[in-house]
Amino acid sequence: MDKHWTAGIRRSAVVVAMALAMGACGSSDDNDDTDDLYGGMAIPTVAIDKVATGTVTVNGAARSYRYYLPSNLDALKAVNLKNIRIVVSFHDQGQNGEANARQTLWHELAEANGFVVIYPEAVNGTWNTTLAKDGPDELAYIQAAWADIRSKFNISDTNAVYPTGFGTGAAMAHQLAMMGPVIGYLAPISAVAGIDGVADPAVFTLPKTAYTYPATPGPVVRSPDTPFGASLPATAMSAWMITTKAGLDVTRQADYWKAQNAVAAAATSRSDRYFRTTTHKNAANGFQEVRVSSARSELSGRDLSQYLWKNMFSHVIRFKNDDRVNGTLVQTKTDQELGLIDSTHKFSEAARGDRRFLTYLPTGYAKLTAGNGTVPLVLNFHGIRGSAWWQAINTDYVPAAEKNGFIAVFPQGLDAVFSSTISTTRTVNYDVQYIVELIDHLKTKYRIDSSRIFITGVSAGAAFTNRVIVEYPQLFAGAAPCYSGHFSATVYNNYQNYPQIRTDVPMPLWQCRGGTEPDNSFPGGAAGQEASRRFWRVVVNGYADAAREEEAVPTSTATLGPDARKHVRYFTGGKAHYVWQTTDYVPHFWHPGGQADLMWTQMFSKYRRNADGTLTYTP
């Protein structure tokens, strides 16, 4: 029987959901009084001694920073590791991290809303805003501080970042967003807000370049002669410039962000109790926006921090799905806003007991299952340090399920990962056992068509998709391990030595990788990828092992999708379809542009798995 998640986690999730829901609906001009800033939320008092100190070494020099992690961090990580976001709050000239913490109280909002806050500290209270070559590399310092927190507390390295600050701290916040729009390897800056400060003129003189996706994990390597790098990479950004004092000209900063966001010339202007705000938005994506606000009445301390969180930070994240422009800014949504059912069920000890999963039922489910009707099922697995929520929001299987009338289920891995362990002895993989039992459980809850169950996953979730279907291919009518994730070449090339691997059941299979995805994003690099491709195409589905495989592809199907970036290669004439796809300019991320609907309409919807293990294909 399903049961609710633990009380502590449930309470945490509700608090986070309330905050995100407020942010998703809010704008910079919807507050009439201070109470509206919090929507009835109780904000805890957090003693300043709870704000911890960290130390990192940057270019041979030790530097300290302050930080705060919410007290229920472990519970939050168990529910949704991918949505623990990071606010970076820079202090003004002559201050330090503790003074900034006392002034802004971001840590109290972090406790209430479930995010991490970092309070960087300038050397002797002075930031190197001018990019002086003999000064500290501030970008490398921020990257090192975030990497330190991530590694110590096992937080995902791809979660959204939001820099902000006062005065010179505001200059640093804009500088960070302009010059380092990704912290370290992957963590994307999604929005920036500066109060009474803009980037130094030296920053604007740097050459503008296309965005370049980092090739390997770790700090970005820069020339010793040019701190922070030598360019301003292209990046759209939710950007906000706030002035509470007369005399600060923000025109140059605003114009920079307008150009980056390609906003419309026309603007909207509105006022609330605290600010007069002018907003420019991109016509196609409203999160590519530039806000300029001037104070009407005093708003400071925690209230001002909450104003920023509620009205911008809380409702925008970035998908790293196009490395030419640093991905896409999108609206974050809670489980409830996505229409997901959050369930936990007690499975067998072999499946590790209580396991959690999110379910999406199409709104037409009752009509589809009236009488003896049944619907298909798609299981969708997240990658390492991922979450069921993240898989639901970024893979677009929720809208695909709604459009095509199937159930989509997003299981949550233990410790935010699924085990793809496979052995030369017949041993039970606990996560595989979980999925087998989950399918049986879902059949008791919903009217599922047993002949139309499909499986997909990304990264380590794609590897886990491989792991499930090699042992239980008869349960599935198709699979899509996409993007890059599989076994090592050794396993595929010696599959006869692994008793769990079956090759006697054909499997409709769709594999893909990003066009700019580094080979080291998956096991065994290119060798592992090619071994995986050959295993499914040749060994399982019986295609000829030809060196020039693409010659078998009809020209009319070589490229398919909403844009020319998608290159989809279809192989027909074997025991089941095999598809290989690459998408230009996509790094290690889900492919944009209706990818789930593409896989459903072009493969999954055409296959059924019969009771005897054979396949039925309907063009």
Side-chain angles (χ1 to χ4, degrees):
M1 172 181 247
D2 283 332
K3 66 181 182 179
H4 292 298
W5 199 234
T6 64
I9 294 176
R10 184 171 64 249
R11 286 192 296 270
S12 301
V14 168
V15 170
V16 174
M18 289 171 61
L20 293 180
M22 287 192 299
C25 300
S27 69
S28 65
D29 46 30
D30 62 356
N31 301 304
D32 292 323
D33 54 46
T34 302
D35 291 340
D36 284 342
L37 290 174
Y38 300 96
M41 287 180 62
I43 306 299
T45 299
V46 179
I48 196 67
D49 61 6
K50 299 295 184 182
V51 178
T53 300
T55 303
V56 292
T57 301
V58 183
N59 297 328
R63 293 191 63 176
S64 62
Y65 66 94
R66 306 298 295 272
Y67 66 94
Y68 184 81
L69 309 173
S71 61
N72 60 346
L73 180 64
D74 288 342
L76 293 171
K77 289 196 298 184
V79 173
N80 193 350
L81 181 62
K82 290 293 288 188
N83 199 31
I84 299 171
R85 294 181 276 173
I86 306 95
V87 170
V88 181
S89 178
F90 291 93
H91 63 71
D92 203 350
Q93 197 78 347
Q95 293 184 327
N96 59 21
E98 180 178 331
N100 190 23
R102 292 181 184 277
Q103 176 183 353
T104 63
L105 296 177
W106 272 110
H107 50 285
E108 295 189 346
L109 299 176
E111 178 67 21
N113 293 287
F115 59 81
V116 173
V117 60
I118 300 175
Y119 297 110
E121 295 190 315
V123 177
N124 297 323
T126 301
W127 296 108
N128 183 13
T129 58
T130 63
L131 310 183
K133 294 180 180 180
D134 58 351
D137 188 334
E138 307 290 20
L139 179 54
Y141 161 56
I142 300 302
Q143 290 175 331
W146 168 231
D148 190 45
I149 289 177
R150 183 186 63 78
S151 62
K152 285 180 179 176
F153 302 102
N154 192 30
I155 299 173
S156 174
D157 58 0
T158 59
N159 292 6
V161 177
Y162 309 91
T164 184
F166 287 84
T168 309
M172 282 303 306
H174 283 292
Q175 180 173 291
L176 178 63
M178 294 165 70
M179 301 181 64
V182 170
I183 303 297
Y185 180 46
L186 285 173
I189 296 176
S190 301
V192 58
I195 301 99
D196 293 329
V198 295
D200 190 271
V203 179
F204 291 98
T205 63
L206 294 175
K208 297 180 179 64
T209 62
Y211 180 77
T212 302
Y213 178 80
T216 58
V220 176
V221 177
R222 282 175 289 278
S223 166
D225 294 329
T226 312
F228 306 94
S231 67
L232 299 175
T235 179
M237 189 75 61
S238 290
W240 202 348
M241 286 126 285
I242 296 175
T243 57
T244 66
K245 307 172 184 176
L248 176 65
D249 186 357
V250 302
T251 303
R252 190 175 191 180
Q253 187 71 72
D255 287 347
Y256 177 85
W257 289 123
K258 287 178 185 178
Q260 291 290 301
N261 286 315
V263 300
T268 59
S269 298
R270 295 183 65 183
S271 298
D272 63 15
R273 177 177 176 180
Y274 308 108
F275 295 102
R276 296 181 181 89
T277 300
T278 300
T279 303
H280 291 262
K281 291 180 180 287
N282 179 285
N285 185 343
F287 292 101
Q288 294 180 207
E289 63 173 333
V290 180
R291 301 183 189 181
V292 178
S293 297
S294 59
R296 296 182 64 199
S297 61
E298 183 178 355
L299 186 68
S300 60
R302 189 179 69 183
D303 291 344
L304 180 53
S305 297
Q306 172 66 4
Y307 191 93
L308 300 180
W309 175 257
K310 175 186 176 182
N311 291 304
M312 180 176 278
F313 290 175
S314 68
H315 64 93
V316 59
I317 56 176
R318 187 186 300 276
F319 289 168
K320 291 288 297 173
N321 56 12
D322 187 341
D323 64 4
R324 297 170 298 178
V325 292
N326 195 20
T328 305
L329 295 172
V330 299
Q331 179 182 346
T332 188
K333 295 181 179 180
T334 64
D335 294 350
Q336 294 89 340
E337 290 168 335
L338 288 167
L340 298 169
I341 302 168
D342 192 334
S343 303
T344 300
H345 180 74
K346 182 175 286 297
F347 295 96
S348 70
E349 291 186 11
R352 300 287 175 91
D354 289 354
R355 302 297 297 264
R356 179 172 170 264
F357 53 94
L358 302 177
T359 303
Y360 183 80
L361 294 181
T363 55
Y365 173 75
K367 184 177 181 179
L368 291 167
T369 58
N372 293 318
T374 57
V375 295
L377 167 68
V378 176
L379 299 172
N380 191 346
F381 303 109
H382 63 75
I384 190 169
R385 288 181 173 157
S387 72
W389 168 84
W390 180 246
Q391 196 67 2
I393 197 171
N394 89 85
T395 63
D396 69 8
Y397 263 95
V398 167
E402 179 65 24
K403 175 183 176 182
N404 298 290
F406 61 82
I407 296 173
V409 173
F410 307 89
Q412 178 67 48
L414 296 177
D415 298 321
V417 70
F418 293 97
S419 170
S420 299
T421 300
I422 193 165
S423 172
T424 53
T425 60
R426 188 170 289 282
T427 56
V428 175
N429 177 306
Y430 61 86
D431 272 331
V432 174
Q433 183 64 28
Y434 161 43
I435 298 309
V436 172
E437 295 181 22
L438 174 61
I439 291 171
D440 289 340
H441 171 66
L442 292 169
K443 289 179 181 178
T444 68
K445 289 177 61 67
Y446 307 112
R447 295 192 57 79
I448 292 171
D449 183 347
S450 297
S451 71
R452 302 181 71 196
I453 299 176
F454 305 91
I455 186 171
T456 185
V458 304
S459 193
F464 182 64
T465 298
N466 274 263
R467 179 61 183 86
V468 174
I469 59 178
V470 295
E471 187 166 1
Y472 291 99
Q474 73 280 7
L475 297 181
F476 304 98
C482 173
Y483 44 90
S484 300
H486 40 67
F487 300 133
S488 67
T490 300
V491 174
Y492 291 115
N493 293 337
N494 299 278
Y495 65 87
Q496 301 94 332
N497 297 332
Y498 296 84
Q500 297 95 336
I501 296 180
R502 295 183 61 177
T503 59
D504 60 322
V505 179
M507 178 64 65
L509 197 89
W510 191 305
Q511 287 182 293
C512 61
R513 69 169 289 177
T516 53
E517 188 169 5
D519 284 345
N520 62 8
S521 292
F522 44 90
Q529 172 187 281
E530 294 311 304
S532 174
R533 292 181 63 190
R534 183 183 182 280
F535 175 83
W536 291 112
R537 182 173 52 83
V538 177
V539 177
V540 174
N541 287 330
Y543 290 91
D545 190 6
R548 300 180 65 186
E549 57 187 36
E550 279 76 18
E551 287 190 353
V553 182
T555 303
S556 61
T557 61
T559 301
L560 189 148
D563 61 60
R565 291 197 291 158
K566 285 191 166 97
H567 308 285
V568 186
R569 303 290 187 180
Y570 294 85
F571 293 83
T572 61
K575 299 174 185 178
H577 276 82
Y578 173 80
V579 175
W580 172 250
Q581 176 187 342
T582 60
T583 303
D584 296 340
Y585 311 115
V586 173
H588 192 67
F589 202 87
W590 182 253
H591 297 209
Q595 182 65 37
D597 188 63
L598 177 64
M599 291 190 289
W600 177 264
T601 57
Q602 296 299 314
M603 178 180 281
F604 285 175
S605 65
K606 302 177 186 296
Y607 276 97
R608 291 179 180 270
R609 178 72 69 184
N610 303 316
D612 63 359
T614 60
L615 290 167
T616 296
Y617 173 74
T618 304

